[in-house]
Amino acid sequence: MGGRLGHLTLPIFSVLAAIGYVYYTTVFVAVSRWLGLSTAAGVANAAAFTALAAACVATYAAAVRRDPGRVPPDFVPDVEDAKSSVHEIKRKGGDLRYCQKCCHYKPPRAHHCRVCKRCVLKMDHHCIWINNCVGHENYKIFLVFVLYAVVASFYSLILIIGSVVHSVPKDEQSGSYSSRTSIYHEGVRAMWLAEKGGDLYHHPYDLGVYENLISVLGPNIFFWLCPVLNTVGNGLRFRTSYDIPISTPPM
């Protein structure tokens, strides 16, 4: 059950939190990482998205606070009115539509909302995300909010994808630099340093399943189960994953 009109509810806080999260991620993560907030392109995109986000918040607030339309208490349909060519009647009996709960006649397309506990003009539906009905007086503002939200979502998606694509070359460059490194830390410390720097740890002596087996059992598969010494190397220097060419990655 929703609260009274204009009152803040958990769904409303959820929508506002989602808008704030998308705004922060788009401007201060995607735009800052891709274009930079000190460049003309970065400032232009940040300003454009800020305007869209502000429009979303403004139209959302209006949809929340705007009364969807009340039926005048003295409303009585005039069946002889020439300006009204359509009159709605009950399904059974053919009488004019009358709300037993509000104790007044219903205009065309008006319906009683069980949440708001009153009749709403041109009622479309009750939306828990605005804690309000969508009706005659706020239908347009609700539609405009949805339009702004869709445009802002696509804009945010484009900026986030651009940021991710832009960051790929940097990651590849850092990977190529690490491939030329000849100093390694031992197991636990290497893993700790990698996690501290936000990188994925890959053991330098892990050559893949097949190459690892060869380094221990020998290059001849027929002697793998024989008690003969045919291990690779002299035990003083070992082949690492950085010695394998990029075109033939370890298995």
Side-chain angles (χ1 to χ4, degrees), residues 142-195:
F142 180 80
L143 187 62
V144 172
F145 160 68
V146 173
L147 178 62
Y148 277 131
V150 170
V151 173
S153 298
F154 277 107
Y155 192 11
S156 173
L157 183 63
I158 292 172
L159 292 174
I160 291 175
I161 292 177
S163 172
V164 172
V165 173
H166 176 73
S167 65
V168 170
K170 294 183 178 179
D171 295 339
E172 292 178 351
Q173 292 174 6
S174 63
S176 62
Y177 175 78
S178 61
S179 66
R180 294 190 297 269
T181 302
S182 58
I183 300 176
Y184 309 114
H185 293 278
E186 291 184 297
V188 176
R189 178 167 175 79
M191 184 180 299
W192 178 78
L193 290 174
E195 292 177 353

Side-chain angles (χ1 to χ4, degrees), residues 9 14 39 52 55 76 78 106 135 176 204-205 249:
T9 58
S14 300
T39 64
L52 270 177
V76 177
D78 186 0
K106 294 181 182 179
S176 62
Y205 298 113

Side-chain angles (χ1 to χ4, degrees), residues 3-244:
R4 289 182 293 176
L5 177 65
H7 282 208
L8 297 178
T9 58
L10 181 59
I12 292 179
F13 278 115
S14 300
V15 173
L16 294 176
I19 294 175
Y21 176 78
V22 172
Y23 176 79
Y24 177 83
T25 303
T26 303
V27 175
F28 295 101
V29 177
V31 175
S32 177
R33 183 179 182 181
W34 180 19
L35 303 172
L37 296 177
S38 59
T39 64
V43 171
N45 281 277
F49 191 80
T50 299
L52 270 177
C56 285
V57 173
T59 52
Y60 179 72
V64 170
R65 298 186 60 85
R66 182 77 59 86
D67 193 296
R70 296 175 179 269
V71 179
D74 56 348
F75 170 78
V76 177
D78 186 0
V79 295
E80 298 180 354
D81 186 4
K83 296 181 180 179
S84 180
S85 58
V86 177
H87 293 282
E88 295 182 356
I89 58 176
K90 293 181 179 180
R91 296 179 181 178
K92 295 182 180 180
D95 297 331
L96 293 173
R97 297 169 66 240
Y98 186 86
C99 182
Q100 299 293 339
K101 297 179 180 179
C102 296
C103 299
H104 61 60
Y105 287 98
K106 294 181 182 179
R109 307 177 72 179
H111 298 280
H112 185 87
C113 177
R114 291 178 296 178
V115 179
C116 297
K117 298 180 180 179
R118 64 183 178 89
C119 288
V120 177
L121 295 176
K122 192 186 173 183
M123 178 183 173
D124 185 83
H125 70 286
H126 183 88
C127 180
I128 64 170
W129 301 108
I130 64 173
N131 187 34
N132 198 1
C133 278
V134 178
H136 175 69
E137 297 294 334
N138 67 347
Y139 191 94
K140 175 186 176 182
I141 201 70
F142 180 80
L143 187 62
V144 172
F145 160 68
V146 173
L147 178 62
Y148 277 131
V150 170
V151 173
S153 298
F154 277 107
Y155 192 11
S156 173
L157 183 63
I158 292 172
L159 292 174
I160 291 175
I161 292 177
S163 172
V164 172
V165 173
H166 176 73
S167 65
V168 170
K170 294 183 178 179
D171 295 339
E172 292 178 351
Q173 292 174 6
S174 63
S176 62
Y177 175 78
S178 61
S179 66
R180 294 190 297 269
T181 302
S182 58
I183 300 176
Y184 309 114
H185 293 278
E186 291 184 297
V188 176
R189 178 167 175 79
M191 184 180 299
W192 178 78
L193 290 174
E195 292 177 353
K196 183 179 179 181
D199 300 322
L200 293 177
Y201 176 72
H202 178 75
H203 199 287
Y205 298 113
D206 184 7
L207 307 178
V209 177
Y210 180 71
E211 293 291 338
N212 289 343
L213 288 174
I214 288 178
S215 66
V216 176
L217 302 178
N220 195 332
I221 191 174
F222 297 104
F223 290 94
W224 279 8
L225 299 180
C226 298
V228 296
L229 183 62
N230 61 343
T231 55
V232 178
N234 57 7
L236 301 177
R237 185 182 183 278
F238 300 93
R239 191 182 180 196
T240 68
S241 59
Y242 301 105
D243 299 326
I244 299 177

